[in-house]
Amino acid sequence: MAIEPWPRRADGEWLIAARPLSQVVAEVGGTPCYLHDRARIDARIDLLRQSLPNGIRIHYAMKANPMPALVCHMASRVDGIDVASAGEMRVALDSGMRADAISFAGPGKSEAELAQAVAAGILINIESFRELALLARASDTLGIAARVAVRVNLPFELRASGMKMSGGARPFGVDAERVPELLRQIGERQLGFEGFHLFAGSQNLHAEAIIEAQSRSFDLVTGWLDQCPSSPRILNLGGGFGIPYSAHDKRLELAPVADQLAVLADRCRRELPGAHLALELGRYLVGEAGIYVARVIDRKTSRGEVFLVVDGGMHHHLAASGNFGQVIRRNYPVALNRRTGMRETVSVVGPLCTPLDLLADRVEMDEAEPGDLFVVFQSGAYGRSASPREFLSHPDVIEALV
Ligand SMILES: *Cc1c(COP(=O)(O)O)cnc(C)c1O
C-alpha cells in the first residue's frame, strides 16, 4: 500500500502514539492542530539506517518542518542539519546539533547571515560569486576561515521530479561550467574548502531517476578534483526522496537507491579518500509522521453536493489545498475520526472566503456532523511554516510533537 495506514480502533477513532486522537487533541488545546508522531519519525530514520550502506550521512533539511521541538528531536538522530536562513540556523544551533554538522544553503544569503554562519562555524554552501566576496570579508573581520562547499547547478535535471531545482537556468547554486573558476577563487581567498553540494530536486518517487542524478553528480565532482584547493571532505548528494501523497503515487523503492549508494560509497573511498557522502532529506524523514486535524463546523448542501466547512484550511495547510507548487490538484489522504456506518461523497473546505480554500475535493468519507474531527494525513512536512497563516486573520494553528 502506498500510504501506510495509521492504527485505528473499531469505532473509527485514530490512534496517535497509541492514544486516541480526540484525547490528544483535547490535550494540546483543540483544533486546528498539527500532531507529529515521534515514533514514526524514528521508524523512518531506522529504516534508512538499515537500508543504506554504512557511512552515508543522513542530514535533515529543516525547512520541511522547522518546529523547534521537532528539530531538537532530530538533532540526536541524524548526522547533520541543513538550514536555509539565519533563523533556521538559530533553531538548529539551539537543538544541540554540533555546529560543524550544520550546513547553510539558499540563494540570496545576506551579508549579515553569512557573517553569522562564519562566526558559528557552520558549513556554507556557496551559491554565487557575490557570496564568495562577502565570505572572504567576514573571514577577515572575524579571524575565522569560512567553511565552504560549492553548490552546483547541475548540467542535468532530476527526471520525474515534483520540483526541479537543477539543470538549465536556475537561481540555485553556480552553473557547473563556472565551478572551476569558483574553486580557483576559493583557493585564492584562502577560504576553508570542504566539498560540494549537489541538490537536483525534490519529491521524487522514481529510484532510477535518483540513481541517475546521484551517479552523474558523483562523476561531475571527480572531474574537478584537480582543481579543488584541497581534497573534498563532503559530497552532499542532495536527496529528493519523495513520499506518496495519494493512492496514485507509488512508494519510492529504497533498495535500488541503496545499492547504487553502496557503489558510490566504494568509489568515494577509492577516488576521494577522506571524503564522505551525505544525503539531505526533508519530507522523507517527517512528512508521513504528521497529521493535520480540524473540526467540522458546518455541513451544507449546495445544489445536491455536500460541503463540510472545517475550522482549518489553506492558511495552515497550503499544500493540502493544492496551492504549494502542485501542477495538478490531488487530494491528500483524509478521513473522519469516527465510523458512522454511512459513506458519502463530500468536499471539505476551510473558513476562508476563497475557492482556493479546499482541503478535499469530492472524496468519499464517513457521513460527518458538526463537531466531528477531520484528519489530513501525510502532513508532517511543508505544513504550518509553508502556509499563509495571516491570510484572513484566523487564529494560528497549534503544533505538537506526540
Ligand atoms: C527543500 C530542500 C531540501 C528538502 O527537500 P525535501 O523534498 O523536503 O526532501 C533539501 N535540500 C535543499 C537544498 C532544499 O532546498
Side-chain angles (χ1 to χ4, degrees), residues 61 63-64 105 151 165 197 199 202-203 240-241 280-284 382:
K63 84 168 191 282
R151 180 171 185 181
M165 291 179 69
H197 177 222
F199 183 78
S202 231
Q203 181 50 20
F241 294 14
E280 55 177 16
L281 303 172
R283 75 186 78 212
Y284 193 78
Y382 305 107

